[in-house]
C-alpha cells in the first residue's frame, strides 16, 4: 500500500496575520527610531541595523526551510 504525502499549506488567515504582524513591527520600529532623541547618524545607524536584521532573518528562514525540504525528500 502506498502512502500519499500530505501537502501542508498555510491558510489565508495565517498568511495575513504574519504579514500584518511583520508590518506592524516594522512601522513601530521605524516610528521609534524616528522619534528617538538622538543625532541623525545614530538614527541612521539603527535604521540600517534593523534592515540588516530583517534581511538576514529572511535569509535564515529560507535556508532553514530549504534544509527541511531536502530532509523531507530524503525521508520519502
Amino acid at each position: 500500500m502506498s502512502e500519499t504525502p500530505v501537502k501542508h499549506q498555510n491558510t489565508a488567515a495565517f498568511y495575513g496575520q504574519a504579514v500584518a504582524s511583520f508590518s506592524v513591527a516594522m512601522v513601530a520600529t521605524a516610528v521609534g527610531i524616528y522619534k528617538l532623541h538622538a543625532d541623525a547618524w545614530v538614527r541612521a545607524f539603527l535604521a540600517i541595523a534593523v534592515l540588516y536584521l530583517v534581511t538576514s532573518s529572511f535569509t535564515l528562514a529560507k535556508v532553514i526551510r530549504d534544509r527541511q525540504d531536502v530532509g523531507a525528500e530524503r525521508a520519502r
Side-chain angles (χ1 to χ4, degrees):
M1 185 185 305
S2 66
E3 293 183 25
T4 306
V6 177
K7 184 176 182 182
H8 299 286
Q9 188 173 9
N10 294 329
T11 64
F14 181 77
Y15 178 78
Q17 186 269 336
V19 170
S21 176
F22 177 77
S23 300
V24 168
M26 285 298 294
V27 168
T29 303
V31 169
I33 291 172
Y34 178 76
K35 296 276 189 176
L36 185 66
H37 296 293
D39 293 337
W41 73 268
V42 173
R43 290 194 311 263
F45 176 81
L46 292 174
I48 289 173
V50 166
L51 291 176
Y52 181 59
L53 180 62
V54 168
T55 57
S56 57
S57 296
F58 278 118
T59 302
L60 178 61
K62 182 188 177 313
V63 168
I64 291 171
R65 184 200 62 207
D66 291 348
R67 181 177 281 184
Q68 287 176 339
D69 287 348
V70 168
E73 287 176 8
R74 288 184 186 164
R76 290 184 199 174

